């Protein structure tokens, strides 16, 4: 046996422990497990003793797992820094969140192109060492003052330090959530009653059990109610639609318990409630479109613009009382009219609310509106006319070369057609996404080819005579439009640093985070070559 095998094996074991969110001390357990299983599994093999001996000799103590984790994380970081330095540009997404021990954690994700792929990699917590800051294009944050403050904010200091314009985006998903919160102000009383009732039912174990039985008797397809967590806008939609589906059962149950909530039978309250159910469903569809990896700034921005157009439509829909886009509200209205034909339901207030939601959308996303032409260039280079202002943000692009290359491109049927077929492919993917989203097939959705990679491939296929255009496109593809990747890293953080292990040191925590979030695979053989063989302890 050559010496590396024990080491490589213990690296593989350590990585499996960390990636499964297990504590370092599980190395010993893993070894015992392997020995017990091997004893039975290889019973008929002539070299069984040799196998058992190898497992026994493999180093997997808690100390070893800890050290291996740090070594692998450092290796991954070296690769990240090397690739970022080799990339033409990179962008950052920054976000802050508190972890279990209520310490503030800072998440820094870099986005950059390597060959035909765009990588989103979680870097170490600040300070950022070894990064080529002259290639930094844009920063996307959650809009907190410490990030975007005029003088002392991170972005302002960065611009000052680099002495050039750096694009700053306020996370598009965060902005959409802020717009959506406007509904809270106007429909606070609806949402708070829904939450009170849900907590009454779910919060008391007995009630919840009785309610489940009640639902079984009525054969409703919903197993109980969902507890509403305030953070996730998405969960709100699910809670509301589930509540709407169980409304009759909820009324019956509260009556049985002698709890009075007259609003649940009040037409005006119900009107608002069903409006909220439908509107939240629309907002959720927008949210789903904007989440996930592989979104370009262009696709994020188009999703928001499309939603603004829809809101215009919704206003007309409510004003005319057609309610084609408000399914639940429409059913409620029909039911009311059936029982009291003379009753006049006032939908104008709801139209007014939709109108203020539209205003709040229009007032936001300014930095995305400003650079629409630049974003569109990546898929329609032959139609876009960019000016100096658009290109100022991209370091090292000569306006003269840019203009000359665009003129060439426009005249070349072959390359213009290449972008036509790119757009057809993108349309196909968008269609597939929409179909899968409507069926809630999220895992299938993740398997689709990422849009940004398709676009990058097309640009990389262009000859070197279009070098400047290529640079501009890679720059746009490198930009982050949302801090979605940061949110994901925080949910990993919570898993790793669960209360059980809240004593993890920063170094170990960062190493675990890095190995959990990276798409790079540490090269065990290479690392263990550079190490001395170490017997089990």
């Amino acid at each position: 046996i050559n010496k590396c095998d024990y080491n490589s094996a213990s690296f593989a074991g350590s990585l499996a422990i960390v990636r499964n969110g297990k504590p370092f001390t599980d190395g010993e357990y893993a070894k015992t497990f392997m020995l017990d299983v091997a004893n039975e599994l290889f019973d008929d093999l002539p070299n069984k003793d040799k196998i058992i001996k190898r497992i026994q000799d493999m180093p997997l103590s808690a100390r070893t797992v800890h050290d291996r984790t740090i070594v692998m994380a450092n290796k991954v970081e070296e690769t990240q820094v090397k690739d970022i330095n080799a990339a033409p540009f990179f962008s950052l997404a920054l976000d802050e969140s508190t972890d279990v021990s209520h310490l503030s954690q800072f998440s820094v994700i870099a986005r950059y192109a390597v060959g035909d792929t765009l990588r989103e990699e979680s870097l170490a917590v600040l300070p950022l060492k070894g990064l080529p800051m002259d290639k930094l294009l844009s920063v996307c944050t959650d809009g907190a003052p410490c990030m975007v403050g005029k003088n002392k904010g991170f972005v302002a200091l960065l611009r000052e330090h680099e002495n050039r314009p750096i694009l700053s985006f306020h996370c598009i998903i965060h902005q959409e959530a802020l717009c959506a919160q406007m509904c809270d102000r106007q429909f606070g009383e609806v949402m708070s009653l829904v939450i009170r009732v849900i907590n009454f039912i779910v919060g008391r174990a007995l009630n919840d059990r009785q309610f489940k039985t009640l639902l079984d008797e009525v054969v409703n397809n919903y197993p109980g109610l969902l507890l509403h967590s305030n953070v996730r806008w998405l969960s709100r939609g699910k809670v509301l639609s589930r509540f709407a589906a169980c409304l009759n059962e909820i009324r019956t149950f509260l009556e049985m318990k002698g709890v009075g909530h007259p609003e649940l039978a009040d037409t005006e309250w119900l009107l608002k409630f069903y409006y909220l159910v439908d509107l939240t469903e629309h907002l959720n569809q927008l949210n789903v479109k904007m989440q996930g990896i592989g979104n370009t700034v262009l696709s994020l921005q188009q999703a928001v613009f499309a939603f603004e157009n829809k809101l215009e439509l919704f206003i007309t829909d409510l004003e005319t009382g057609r309610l084609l886009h408000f399914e639940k509200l429409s059913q409620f209205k029909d039911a009311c009219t059936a029982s009291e034909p003379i009753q006049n339901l006032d939908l104008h207030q709801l139209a007014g609310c939709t109108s203020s939601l539209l205003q709040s959308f229009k007032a936001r996303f300014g930095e995305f509106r400003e650079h629409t032409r630049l974003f569109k260039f990546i898929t329609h280079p032959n139609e876009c006319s960019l000016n100096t202002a658009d290109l100022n943000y991209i370091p090292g692009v000569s306006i003269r070369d840019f203009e000359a290359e665009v003129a060439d491109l426009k005249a070349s049927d072959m390359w213009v057609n290449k972008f036509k077929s790119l757009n057809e492919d993108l349309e196909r993917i968008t269609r597939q996404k929409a179909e899968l989203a409507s069926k809630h097939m999220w895992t299938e959705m993740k398997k689709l080819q990422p849009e940004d990679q398709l676009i990058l491939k097309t640009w990389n296929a262009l000859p070197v005579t279009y070098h400047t255009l290529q640079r501009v496109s890679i720059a746009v593809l490198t930009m982050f439009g949302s801090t979605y990747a940061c949110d994901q890293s925080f949910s990993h953080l919570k898993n790793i640093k669960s209360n059980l292990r809240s004593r993890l040191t920063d170094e170990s925590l960062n190493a675990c985070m890095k190995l959990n979030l990276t798409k790079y695979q540490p090269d065990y053989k290479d690392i263990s070559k550079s190490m001395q063989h170490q017997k089990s302890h």
Side-chain angles (χ1 to χ4, degrees):
I1 177 174
N2 71 30
K3 285 189 171 162
C4 280
D5 287 0
Y6 287 116
N7 267 338
S8 297
S10 97
F11 274 113
S14 304
L15 188 62
I17 287 170
V18 169
R19 283 204 169 147
N20 285 293
K22 301 293 180 214
F24 299 146
T25 45
D26 272 14
E28 301 290 1
Y29 156 73
K31 203 161 160 177
T32 315
F33 174 89
M34 286 170 76
L35 286 168
D36 291 351
V37 171
N39 210 10
E40 304 302 322
L41 198 58
F42 306 125
D43 207 26
D44 55 337
L45 297 186
N47 59 346
K48 175 182 162 185
D49 298 347
K50 206 171 175 181
I51 294 175
I52 300 277
K53 173 106 175 65
R54 278 199 186 178
I55 297 175
Q56 276 168 340
D57 284 350
M58 173 179 59
L60 260 191
S61 69
R63 178 87 233 146
T64 304
V65 176
H66 167 271
D67 295 347
R68 297 274 192 270
T69 301
I70 304 280
V71 169
M72 285 187 286
N74 290 340
K75 202 75 185 164
V76 165
E77 186 156 322
E78 276 171 32
T79 318
Q80 289 172 332
V81 171
K82 189 178 96 228
D83 280 356
I84 293 176
N85 275 288
F89 306 104
F90 74 102
S91 286
L92 296 176
L94 305 167
D95 207 344
E96 201 176 8
S97 166
T98 42
D99 65 12
V100 197
S101 40
H102 304 294
L103 290 168
S104 181
Q105 286 284 344
F106 211 56
S107 176
V108 181
I109 314 263
R111 185 175 157 100
Y112 51 97
V114 180
D116 279 343
T117 10
L118 281 150
R119 286 195 175 269
E120 287 188 3
E121 285 283 321
S122 171
L123 302 177
V125 189
L126 290 169
L128 308 167
K129 292 187 290 288
L131 294 186
M133 293 314 265
D134 53 326
K135 294 181 174 182
L136 176 65
L137 253 188
S138 69
V139 178
C140 183
T141 69
D142 59 358
C146 66
M147 295 291 180
V148 291
K150 285 265 185 297
N151 306 319
K152 287 281 172 276
F154 178 77
V155 179
L157 295 172
L158 211 55
R159 285 178 179 145
E160 195 181 315
H161 184 263
E162 288 299 306
N163 194 16
R164 63 184 172 86
I166 291 173
L167 277 173
S168 162
F169 295 110
H170 176 179
C171 168
I172 202 164
I173 298 178
H174 194 259
Q175 290 194 69
E176 181 243 359
L178 290 174
C179 291
Q181 275 172 12
M182 206 216 66
C183 303
D184 280 5
R185 288 197 288 282
Q186 299 187 326
F187 296 95
E189 81 273 21
V190 176
M191 205 62 212
S192 70
L193 179 64
V194 169
I195 294 167
R196 277 211 305 284
V197 171
I198 290 178
N199 288 340
F200 172 75
I201 295 172
V202 182
R204 299 165 174 72
L206 180 69
N207 277 352
D208 196 16
R209 222 174 26 250
Q210 290 174 334
F211 187 66
K212 281 196 172 74
T213 345
L214 173 74
L215 285 182
D216 290 341
E217 284 169 21
V218 194
V219 203
N220 212 322
N221 309 326
Y222 296 96
L225 283 162
L226 290 156
L227 260 181
H228 170 82
S229 71
N230 212 5
V231 197
R232 285 271 162 254
W233 180 247
L234 267 175
S235 75
R236 176 173 310 203
K238 294 192 188 106
V239 170
L240 282 166
S241 56
R242 170 88 43 108
F243 195 91
C246 305
L247 193 57
N248 285 332
E249 292 76 13
I250 291 172
R251 286 196 198 114
T252 313
F253 184 75
L254 293 175
E255 264 167 46
M256 272 165 42
K257 288 276 169 225
V259 175
H261 281 301
E263 299 95 325
L264 295 180
D266 172 66
T267 311
E268 207 163 296
W269 188 89
L270 287 168
L271 210 55
K272 289 181 177 173
F273 169 70
Y274 284 114
Y275 164 79
L276 208 50
V277 173
D278 289 329
L279 186 68
T280 314
E281 180 50 39
H282 290 304
L283 280 161
N284 276 352
Q285 286 169 5
L286 169 62
N287 219 305
V288 167
K289 266 189 198 149
M290 298 199 297
Q291 288 186 1
I293 308 292
N295 269 329
T296 59
V297 244
L298 179 68
S299 59
L300 288 171
Q301 181 204 39
Q302 284 173 341
V304 168
F305 289 177
F307 190 73
E308 289 176 354
N309 295 345
K310 276 190 195 152
L311 284 173
E312 307 260 7
L313 204 84
F314 296 165
I315 295 169
T316 319
D317 206 28
L318 289 159
E319 283 174 344
T320 56
R322 291 183 324 165
L323 300 188
L324 295 180
H325 302 275
F326 291 87
E327 190 193 346
K328 298 281 184 285
L329 184 59
S330 173
Q331 289 166 0
F332 174 66
K333 184 188 162 203
D334 294 347
C336 283
T337 324
S339 62
E340 281 184 64
I342 43 167
Q343 189 175 15
N344 186 19
L345 299 179
D346 180 21
L347 298 172
H348 278 88
Q349 188 201 353
L350 302 179
C353 294
T354 316
S355 174
S356 4
L357 182 61
L358 176 61
Q359 290 319 310
S360 107
F361 263 83
K362 293 267 189 230
R364 287 190 174 279
F365 312 103
E367 67 282 51
F368 289 95
R369 292 177 210 282
E370 217 175 300
H371 301 291
T372 307
R373 282 197 309 259
L374 183 58
F375 299 161
K376 210 176 157 189
F377 178 78
I378 58 174
T379 51
H380 299 78
N382 46 319
E383 296 165 24
C384 271
S385 48
L386 297 185
N387 57 25
T388 323
D390 295 314
L391 295 171
N392 263 349
Y393 287 97
I394 304 170
V397 164
S398 131
I399 307 283
R400 185 195 61 199
D401 295 349
F402 180 83
E403 288 175 350
E405 289 174 25
V406 168
D408 274 349
L409 184 77
K410 280 182 178 165
S412 154
D413 283 351
M414 182 169 75
W415 297 116
V416 168
N417 285 333
K418 194 145 181 96
F419 284 97
K420 274 208 185 94
S421 62
L422 165 71
N423 283 304
E424 282 159 17
D425 288 343
L426 290 171
E427 279 163 30
R428 196 191 66 248
I429 293 177
T430 311
R431 259 200 315 278
Q432 290 171 321
K433 255 191 187 169
E435 276 163 28
L436 293 172
S438 68
K439 296 179 191 149
H440 296 273
M441 298 167 72
W442 311 127
T443 14
E444 298 305 308
M445 214 158 120
K446 286 197 177 99
K447 289 180 194 155
L448 291 177
Q449 184 175 10
E451 294 164 40
D452 53 8
Q453 283 192 0
L454 247 177
I455 302 173
L456 184 59
K457 249 199 169 100
T458 308
W459 279 102
N460 281 342
L462 259 63
V464 70
T465 40
Y466 295 117
H467 174 69
T468 316
L469 306 189
Q470 247 167 351
R471 271 181 75 83
V472 172
S473 298
I474 290 177
V476 176
L477 285 167
T478 300
M479 294 172 189
F480 269 113
S482 85
T483 55
Y484 176 71
C486 293
D487 289 346
Q488 289 213 295
S489 76
F490 286 133
S491 51
H492 266 293
L493 175 79
K494 287 197 171 61
N495 293 344
I496 299 168
K497 200 163 183 178
S498 58
N499 289 330
L500 264 175
R501 310 173 61 204
S502 56
R503 289 181 304 286
L504 271 182
T505 65
D506 269 354
E507 185 187 27
S508 321
L509 180 66
N510 285 335
C512 291
M513 285 278 285
K514 172 89 60 187
L515 294 177
N516 263 298
L517 294 166
T518 182
K519 298 256 184 350
Y520 292 107
Q521 181 64 16
D523 183 345
Y524 317 130
K525 293 268 187 290
D526 185 48
I527 305 176
S528 64
K529 265 192 198 116
S530 58
M531 286 178 57
Q532 288 305 304
H533 171 50
Q534 154 197 14
K535 263 288 201 296
S536 167
H537 54 73

